[in-house]
Amino acid sequence: MSNNSMILHLTNARLIDPEAGTDSVGSLTVQDGVIVGRNAPAPKGAEVLDCAGMCLAPGIVDWGVKIGEPGERHKESFRSAGLAAAAGGVTTIIARPDTQPAIDTPETLEFVTRRAAESVVRIRHMAALTKGRAGDEMTEIGFLLDAGAVAFTDVFKVSTNTKALARAFTYARSLGALVVGHPQEPGLSAGAAATNSKFASLRGLPGVHPMAERLGLDRDLGLVEMTGVRWHADQITTAGALPSVIRAKERGLDVTAGVSIHHLTLNDFDVGDYRTFFKLTPPLRSEDDRLAMVQAVAEGIIDVIASFHTPADEESKRLPFEEAASGAVGLQTLLPAALRLVHSGDMDLPTLWKALSLNPAKRLGLPQGRLAEGAPADLVLFDPDTPFLLDRAKLLSKSKNTPFDLMRMEGKVQRTWVAGVQVYGV
Amino acid sequence: MTFRARHLLGIEQLSPQEITEVLDLADRYVDLNRRTVKSSDVLAGMTQINMFFENSTRTQASFELAGKRLGADVMNMSVAQSSVKKGETLIDTALTLNAMRPDLLVVRHPSSGAVNLLASKVNCAVLNAGDGRHEHPTQALLDALTIRRAKGRIQRLTVAICGDIAHSRVARSNLILLGKMENRLRLIAPPTLMPPGVDGFGCELYDDMKKGLEGVDVVMMLRLQKERMDGGFIPSEREYYHRYGLDAEKLSYAKTDAIVMHPGPMNRGVEIDGEIADDINRSVIQEQVEMGVAVRMACMDLLARNLRAERGRAAVGVMV
């Protein structure tokens, strides 16, 4: 372990700089938790680490991670989530408020902020937009902002109380708060466990039409236009919703969009013989949709890639598909899964790192995601080509519900630093 | 013997040869069932447990009778009223039963895929008696046997499946089976009762019943599954009957020797006219019930043979 006040000089590294869009060999110098030099000679007394040509990039900012505190600590704690994140090259976790109870008061936010000290990586919290995430009454957005909330969201619960939502958006707008929405028409998606398709029909699974995403998105964008709130779509997963995102951006609305790594690397066929680890919210989409999302990330229409890490215990997954819990863990698999998009030739590393690190940090007003002098020394060193077979038992999360179990992956994290301190190393 | 399956989870896993073998054996059991003394001893000493997580009278009775006629010890677990209500999971229920060492487990469950899940946790033969909207393989096999006996073949026929296809596991198993046996399939339903992605099924689709019935050899009616509907699929039962209920006029578009089938229980006056259902020259609905027992005997017989062979190999230590 290096220590904060020491000077760390990382040489012979392939620097992945999403801000500059460059991928070039060089060195970084780190002191007091920040980057103090780039391609500079090693200062006297510095601890020098030869990176052997491996990739050095800003740590991942994973937006939308579920941690089981409070309420479900047996599924994931701040400590276990932090260890998994560090091993996965994630240096900042943006935690979700869909806990039990929901994080909808400054008191619960203070509780999780205190508990988060157990994590080896940075944790920032989103708070609920409405009380109990019920969609009817806005939370104390002002107090919650003061207590450190970085964004406001009811996560996967979609309010049908449009008037209450309009008021919450208007109020959030006045405080400059960022609202995160889940584009889904809840009436159309009620009871669905899969996306409508021949495959889902033959499996006898109740499905949702992909149009439900665009319907929900269009309603929310209407409210954004009406109120002027800063807004982010947590996950865009269907090709049919993309034109709405493009139009909103072209019209100058303060809108960004994300997508989960699972919707970029898996499709609805992967459910196979009712494999519940592939049950996600929203459900996995067709291959055409997946390809459209990959292209949208490459073109910058979709800004953010995240894991939507959702721990679920074995019991809640060992059920018939319709009854099983939804969601997958992803903190530790996000990086190797995302590298598939590079290995497949769909995008280069700086483009990928924009979506994994720079864009979410910028949108949330965080200084992370950059390799510039003065930026926090939150870094990940990885070899993008190391092949391995994923064994879910070896994941550091308390819950092991990954869809990538026994899959071949490429790309392994070698070391992770947060504020210049190494928090993971092989 | 070509039938190699360990479980009967769906038609999807069966080859045309396996389907034919089941039907051939079932034909022999039809003869046995028509005798006064119907007993056989092929399952003697074996234990069959019927586990129905969803209420059923006809299918459960048919499986029970099939097991008893083959000499098995048959037990009915009415799971719908038991431990499941106390919070026990499906897998725990299965493991509990498995510990009682049954040989054949007949399972019906309201969730698609639940029987597949259960089969992966037990070491006896599992028969799917219907899982959600997924499959109901013995129904498709008994329908095939009924068609084969009435038409002399189960290939190159034009078969119309009509009605509530979206909610029907019977329709799914039948279209897989009839497709495997190289028949021409038509699906007739209002668009709200067609499953999503149906255009990829390789069937001809009709929302006009008269056009859909033109020249067909077999008319399979489905029950309107009111209990699976959360409302609003059709405007009313009387409009449904007017447009999609099988009556003499609509049936006149089919071939003159076309047979009429229904998996039961029927909603007379909703999807089928009572007189058509009772017309012994057209309706084979009662034959379907009779074939049901024979087909289930055949399936259990074949699965029991595979189970015995597997256990025999295990006992002498043969690598499997």
Side-chain angles (χ1 to χ4, degrees):
Chain A
M1 291 273 287
S2 53
N3 112 14
N4 211 356
S5 60
M6 268 181 67
I7 304 173
L8 178 64
H9 189 69
L10 304 165
T11 64
N12 192 20
R14 211 176 128 187
L15 299 177
I16 309 300
D17 185 341
E19 200 175 23
T22 56
D23 174 352
S24 55
V25 176
S27 69
L28 275 189
T29 314
V30 170
Q31 188 176 11
D32 296 329
V34 294
I35 297 168
V36 294
R38 186 157 158 184
N39 299 333
K44 259 206 176 114
E47 179 194 335
V48 176
L49 178 74
D50 184 345
C51 295
M54 284 190 287
C55 294
L56 186 63
I60 295 171
V61 178
D62 193 3
W63 190 350
V65 172
K66 167 82 180 273
I67 295 170
E69 296 193 52
E72 296 164 296
R73 213 198 307 186
H74 65 291
K75 294 183 186 170
E76 194 81 283
S77 66
F78 283 106
R79 189 182 144 72
S80 62
L83 292 171
V90 174
T91 52
T92 303
I93 286 173
I94 310 298
R96 294 196 327 232
D98 54 336
T99 45
Q100 289 172 0
I103 299 164
D104 59 358
T105 63
E107 289 76 13
T108 44
L109 181 54
E110 278 159 20
F111 169 79
V112 288
T113 306
R114 217 162 44 239
R115 290 286 310 142
E118 289 195 1
S119 161
V120 293
V121 305
R122 298 180 201 265
I123 303 213
R124 301 303 298 267
H125 298 275
M126 293 192 284
L129 179 67
T130 64
K131 287 174 184 156
R133 301 194 296 125
D136 292 319
E137 284 176 81
M138 71 179 92
T139 51
E140 294 172 315
I141 295 172
F143 281 157
L144 287 160
L145 273 176
D146 293 344
V150 290
F152 294 82
T153 180
D154 287 339
V155 193
F156 301 146
K157 274 198 180 174
V158 180
S159 175
T160 50
N161 187 342
T162 317
K163 192 164 250 178
L165 218 48
R167 288 184 187 133
F169 279 24
T170 305
Y171 195 85
R173 154 91 178 84
S174 73
L175 295 170
L178 177 67
V179 171
V180 180
H182 179 64
Q184 196 65 223
E185 209 296 302
L188 209 50
S189 59
T195 304
N196 276 356
S197 68
K198 172 193 171 191
F199 176 77
S201 286
L202 285 174
R203 285 282 176 277
L205 294 174
V208 56
H209 196 283
M211 186 60 80
E213 182 169 291
R214 192 175 102 193
L215 284 175
L217 177 65
D218 283 342
R219 185 214 46 181
D220 285 3
L221 289 175
L223 290 172
V224 171
E225 189 174 337
M226 191 172 124
T227 59
V229 73
R230 299 172 59 220
W231 192 79
H232 175 77
D234 66 346
Q235 301 180 63
I236 298 294
T237 60
T238 59
L242 286 175
S244 296
V245 176
I246 295 168
R247 206 160 46 239
K249 288 185 169 187
E250 281 173 355
R251 296 183 62 189
L253 300 184
D254 193 350
V255 165
T256 47
V259 63
S260 95
I261 188 60
H262 301 115
H263 291 88
L264 292 173
T265 51
L266 304 168
N267 68 31
D268 56 354
F269 281 164
D270 285 308
V271 168
D273 196 14
Y274 303 101
R275 297 194 289 172
T276 56
F277 283 5
F278 292 81
K279 185 177 180 184
L280 303 171
T281 307
L284 286 170
R285 307 301 194 181
S286 69
E287 179 64 5
D288 286 346
D289 280 331
R290 184 190 76 83
L291 292 171
M293 293 310 109
V294 172
Q295 198 187 341
V297 172
E299 292 174 1
I301 298 162
I302 288 179
D303 307 272
V304 175
I305 300 173
S307 73
F308 290 88
H309 181 86
T310 304
D313 53 27
E314 298 290 302
E315 291 314 316
S316 62
K317 287 285 189 184
R318 288 172 71 205
L319 290 171
F321 196 84
E322 284 171 65
E323 296 160 34
S326 185
V329 291
L331 280 168
Q332 218 173 327
T333 49
L334 174 56
L335 183 140
L339 284 172
R340 285 185 174 186
L341 307 176
V342 174
H343 294 305
S344 63
D346 288 300
M347 61 191 75
D348 58 16
L349 278 166
T351 306
L352 176 65
W353 242 259
K354 252 183 211 163
L356 286 173
S357 183
L358 177 68
N359 288 348
K362 265 177 27 187
R363 187 62 169 151
L364 291 157
L366 306 176
Q368 274 77 20
R370 298 178 301 132
L371 287 185
E373 281 179 32
D378 293 5
L379 300 167
V380 53
L381 182 69
F382 64 97
D383 177 348
D385 301 317
T386 311
F388 68 99
L389 195 67
L390 189 97
D391 174 1
R392 71 186 185 102
K394 290 187 179 149
L395 293 179
L396 299 174
S397 282
K398 283 193 184 180
S399 297
K400 317 286 185 195
N401 52 308
T402 174
F404 296 113
D405 188 33
L406 300 178
M407 282 199 200
R408 290 177 194 285
M409 307 192 93
E410 278 178 88
K412 271 205 146 171
V413 174
Q414 299 296 318
R415 292 171 192 253
T416 306
W417 295 268
V418 173
V421 177
Q422 186 176 316
V423 292
Y424 175 79
V426 288
Chain B
M1 188 165 132
T2 57
F3 191 90
R4 300 293 299 268
R6 182 162 199 268
H7 306 295
L8 182 67
L9 301 178
I11 300 296
E12 198 184 349
Q13 295 88 2
L14 298 181
S15 66
Q17 292 74 18
E18 286 175 308
I19 292 167
T20 304
E21 187 173 8
V22 173
L23 301 184
D24 290 347
L25 182 59
D27 260 331
R28 308 225 305 266
Y29 280 121
V30 175
D31 297 338
L32 176 72
N33 287 340
R34 287 181 178 174
R35 291 187 209 147
T36 312
V37 177
K38 302 173 175 64
S39 57
S40 152
D41 60 358
V42 303
L43 297 185
M46 293 185 123
T47 305
Q48 171 193 343
I49 299 182
N50 297 333
M51 215 158 90
F52 279 64
F53 293 88
E54 203 179 57
N55 288 329
S56 158
T57 315
R58 313 158 57 94
T59 307
Q60 188 169 340
S62 183
F63 269 109
E64 184 174 356
L65 211 49
K68 284 183 170 161
R69 284 185 182 164
L70 294 177
D73 298 311
V74 186
M75 192 180 91
N76 287 312
M77 292 271 300
S78 36
V79 205
Q81 292 95 30
S82 69
S83 44
V84 180
K85 288 253 166 76
K86 297 173 192 162
E88 190 175 65
T89 65
L90 174 64
I91 288 177
D92 283 334
T93 306
L95 291 177
T96 303
L97 282 180
N98 193 47
M100 299 177 194
R101 302 204 160 260
D103 304 289
L104 297 156
L105 208 52
V106 180
V107 187
R108 169 170 287 190
H109 197 281
S111 292
S112 302
V115 182
N116 300 44
L117 174 67
L118 194 145
S120 67
K121 306 290 175 189
V122 298
N123 43 29
C124 57
V126 175
L127 287 96
N128 182 358
D131 62 324
R133 308 173 181 181
H134 178 218
E135 280 231 40
H136 191 354
T138 56
Q139 179 71 44
L141 289 163
L142 75 88
D143 287 342
L145 183 62
T146 308
I147 295 170
R148 198 173 78 166
R149 290 173 70 102
K151 292 284 163 196
R153 66 179 198 271
I154 185 70
Q155 282 89 17
R156 300 181 315 281
L157 295 166
T158 304
V159 182
I161 304 179
C162 317
D164 185 0
I165 294 160
H167 297 98
S168 175
R169 54 195 174 215
V170 175
R172 280 169 184 69
S173 287
N174 263 315
L175 71 89
I176 296 169
L177 187 148
L178 293 167
K180 283 191 181 197
M181 304 311 273
E182 298 178 2
N183 295 281
R184 193 168 156 188
L185 282 169
R186 296 183 185 174
L187 302 180
I188 306 172
T192 48
L193 292 177
M194 284 284 192
V198 70
D199 39 345
F201 282 18
C203 307
E204 297 162 49
L205 310 177
Y206 293 89
D207 55 16
D208 180 331
M209 191 161 183
K210 288 172 189 169
K211 279 190 190 150
L213 288 182
E214 252 172 61
V216 303
D217 299 292
V218 178
V219 183
M220 276 189 176
M221 298 305 299
L222 296 171
R223 187 168 65 88
L224 192 65
Q225 301 211 29
K226 300 177 204 168
E227 73 277 11
R228 275 183 215 281
M229 292 199 189
D230 39 23
F233 285 88
I234 52 165
S236 71
E237 286 182 7
R238 63 181 189 180
E239 182 165 328
Y240 184 78
Y241 180 65
H242 178 70
R243 289 174 53 82
Y244 296 98
L246 186 67
D247 55 17
E249 201 232 328
K250 294 189 194 94
L251 184 56
S252 70
Y253 287 81
K255 278 191 187 157
T256 50
D257 63 347
I259 56 169
V260 173
M261 308 177 75
H262 192 298
M266 281 183 279
N267 299 310
R268 286 172 189 257
V270 178
E271 70 259 354
I272 191 163
D273 177 68
E275 280 187 26
I276 299 279
D278 298 334
D279 180 352
I280 53 164
N281 295 316
R282 309 302 295 272
S283 162
V284 293
I285 296 170
Q286 295 310 313
E287 280 82 348
Q288 285 176 273
V289 178
E290 184 188 358
M291 295 309 121
V293 179
V295 153
R296 287 169 181 128
M297 290 165 81
C299 291
M300 290 199 283
D301 181 356
L302 291 169
L303 287 172
R305 290 183 206 180
N306 289 348
L307 190 69
R308 279 196 209 95
E310 184 188 309
R311 287 179 181 165
R313 282 192 300 271
V316 297
V318 177
M319 293 290 287
V320 284

